[in-house]
Amino acid sequence: MASKGIDCATPLTAEAARVLAASGHKFAARYLVPERLTWKRLTRTEAERITDAGMHIVSVFETTPNRPAGGTAAGTVDGKEAYQEALKIAQPGGSAIYFAVDYDSGSGDYDKIESYLKAAAAEIPGYAIGVYGSYAVIEAMAKRGAGRHFWQTYAWSGGKKSVKADLYQYKNNTRVDGTAVALDLNESYGNEGWWNTAIPALKPSEEEMVIERDIHKVSTWAAEAWEEMQINGYFDGTRPGSGITREEAAIAVSRLRRNLLKLIADNETNIKSFEQRLQTIEKEDE
């Protein structure tokens, strides 16, 4: 038997959540987005309101409608942002984060959309990847194994409904009596990936993965190697926790390469012949 639900961009008040639950709605889909989109952003407080009203929550990530056309690079960024937001609101592990393909995408975009979803999935450990989109998008992404949960919209679907759909959005921009916000109406059939605040969040060890670290402090596990690299002149001792640029890597590798040549040659004078031989070997490996 299908369950009734809604999705909306406007945060739900406690009263709106109670009205929706009283009218038979079992879930509310809300936006898991960065703080810069605060007007539609799901917070922990709102999640608790929805749970207290007796409904489940469906998390969906969307910044711009055609964002998935950005492929791998966009998926990596969005996956990281979605993951951090999920942890901030204590979304429990095992639940889904849907990524929206909210435009009339043609088959020419499917490779990019697949890459986007798979890149996003790699950045949300502990959560399941879901995809929102048209009939054709749902069918294509299910066939390509780019999602575990599927939410189809009637838009751009030509009256077709995918058997892969776990959720189905069948009406946009409507209202339920007693609520002051515009809503989209949905139904679900199981495997929704929904959640509520009564379910325990991810373990602290997983949450620590997104805690911003002090780049000026070296991690315990790397302290000995970091000290050795400083003593031997490969790094200057600053910013041990920051990323390394290609330029910094080139300097470190160049120093290491030259020191190895000195070691092999046994003195500075003999380096030239050894360097010529090494260059020959390096060119052969290209």
Side-chain angles (χ1 to χ4, degrees):
M1 182 177 176
S3 297
K4 291 168 56 179
I6 64 95
D7 70 269
C8 60
T10 305
L12 295 174
T13 63
E15 179 60 24
R18 284 194 292 271
V19 169
L20 289 169
S23 60
H25 293 86
K26 302 298 183 185
F27 65 93
R30 289 283 294 112
Y31 287 93
L32 198 68
V33 291
E35 194 167 0
R36 64 181 182 272
L37 296 172
T38 187
W39 64 275
K40 69 174 182 178
R41 185 184 186 217
L42 173 66
T43 64
R44 177 68 183 185
T45 299
E46 185 190 354
E48 289 171 350
R49 290 179 197 144
I50 295 169
T51 299
D52 291 345
M55 292 191 293
H56 295 288
I57 301 158
V58 172
S59 295
V60 56
F61 186 94
E62 179 184 353
T63 53
T64 55
N66 64 343
R67 176 70 169 169
T72 300
T76 297
V77 171
D78 289 1
K80 288 179 178 179
E81 290 189 336
Y83 184 59
Q84 292 190 29
E85 289 301 313
L87 293 180
K88 286 175 184 176
I89 63 172
Q91 179 172 334
S95 56
I97 300 175
Y98 288 83
F99 289 82
V101 183
D102 201 6
Y103 70 108
D104 189 9
S105 59
S107 58
D109 281 352
Y110 290 173
D111 286 346
K112 292 177 182 178
I113 293 170
E114 177 187 359
S115 296
Y116 171 88
L117 292 169
K118 289 182 176 179
E123 301 297 336
I124 55 170
Y127 297 109
I129 183 77
V131 55
Y132 165 97
S134 67
Y135 169 85
V137 167
I138 296 303
E139 288 285 309
M141 294 307 115
K143 185 176 181 179
R144 294 172 181 228
R148 287 177 54 190
H149 301 272
F150 300 96
W151 179 7
Q152 185 193 334
T153 175
Y154 75 99
W156 317 298
S157 293
K160 296 180 180 179
K161 187 174 179 182
S162 174
V163 296
K164 308 292 195 309
D166 303 308
L167 299 116
Y168 181 66
Q169 181 190 73
Y170 61 89
K171 189 174 184 179
N172 294 132
N173 198 29
T174 188
R175 293 181 186 275
V176 172
D177 289 343
T179 64
V181 296
L183 307 167
D184 300 334
L185 301 181
N186 298 261
E187 57 186 19
S188 71
Y189 317 108
N191 195 43
E192 297 92 348
W194 58 27
W195 59 280
N196 61 61
T197 59
I199 304 171
L202 286 180
K203 297 181 295 184
S205 58
E206 292 172 312
E207 293 180 357
E208 288 169 4
M209 294 172 64
V210 296
I211 295 175
E212 189 172 348
R213 65 168 298 179
D214 184 348
I215 65 170
H216 302 293
K217 293 183 179 179
V218 63
S219 299
T220 303
W221 54 269
E224 185 176 346
W226 180 249
E227 183 179 4
E228 183 180 348
M229 295 298 279
Q230 289 180 73
I231 291 171
N232 292 301
Y234 294 103
F235 293 105
D236 62 9
T238 63
R239 302 177 295 107
S242 70
I244 186 170
T245 67
R246 291 163 68 95
E247 296 163 322
E248 291 170 328
I251 291 172
V253 172
S254 177
R255 287 175 181 169
L256 177 61
R257 182 176 179 274
R258 188 164 184 79
N259 287 340
L260 288 174
L261 287 171
K262 287 181 183 178
L263 179 65
I264 295 169
D266 202 31
N267 61 68
E268 186 82 34
T269 307
N270 295 332
I271 285 183
K272 189 171 183 180
S273 62
F274 279 96
E275 185 158 28
Q276 289 173 341
R277 287 168 59 186
L278 180 57
Q279 288 174 345
T280 300
I281 292 170
E282 289 171 336
K283 288 179 180 178
E284 290 174 351
D285 289 339
E286 288 181 353

